[in-house]
Amino acid sequence: MSLTAEQNNAICVEFFETAWNTGIVREDLLASDAIDHSQVGGKTVSEPGSASFKGIVGMFRGAMPDAKLSIEDQIYVADKVVHRWRLNGTDTGGVMGMPPSGKSITLTGTTTARMKDGKIAERWANVDELGLLQQLGVVPPPPGAASPGAAAPGAH
């Protein structure tokens, strides 16, 4: 069953919004041998099945139970779907094994999915982990960077 690019995108929107906003990973939208290529915490993993993706969603939703995914851009052609997204939430559970900060967090990234027969066959994600660590205060901003909320030099 070959679907249009628009249909493939709609499946990805349903899958990712449901997973991130409710914690429910829709197995019916994943190929049984789907491969999750991800890099979290500096480790690159390529695992078949849904366990890797479920683990990532569970980790972030456990840290930020109020997590809300917003898909900001959608690009799709043939069997590929690309989403630029933003995940907002409050760190009440501790992100990536760190103690809870109580801070409002914005995590951004891009996910590419390869579709096959109406299901996600592969997923790649690039996540701004450095930005996350800076928001948590684990990594300092670069020297000379404006502090959050400060006007940029020369701004009026």
Side-chain angles (χ1 to χ4, degrees), residues 36-102:
D36 183 45
H37 306 278
S38 57
Q39 185 167 9
V40 176
K43 293 186 310 191
T44 300
V45 178
S46 289
E47 292 183 11
S50 62
S52 175
F53 184 68
K54 282 182 176 179
I56 292 167
V57 169
M59 175 186 64
F60 280 104
R61 286 198 53 83
M64 302 182 301
D66 63 345
K68 175 75 173 134
L69 178 80
S70 302
I71 297 174
E72 300 194 339
D73 280 313
Q74 303 172 37
I75 302 168
Y76 40 91
V77 62
D79 66 343
K80 292 286 188 341
V81 175
V82 179
H83 290 162
R84 182 177 62 85
W85 50 263
R86 176 177 306 277
L87 187 69
N88 293 307
T90 309
D91 175 24
T92 58
V95 177
M96 297 191 313
M98 292 178 266
S101 70

Side-chain angles (χ1 to χ4, degrees), residues 8 18 24 42 116:
N8 284 334
T18 300
I24 298 167
K116 183 177 179 189

Side-chain angles (χ1 to χ4, degrees), residues 141 144-156:
S147 60
H156 299 272

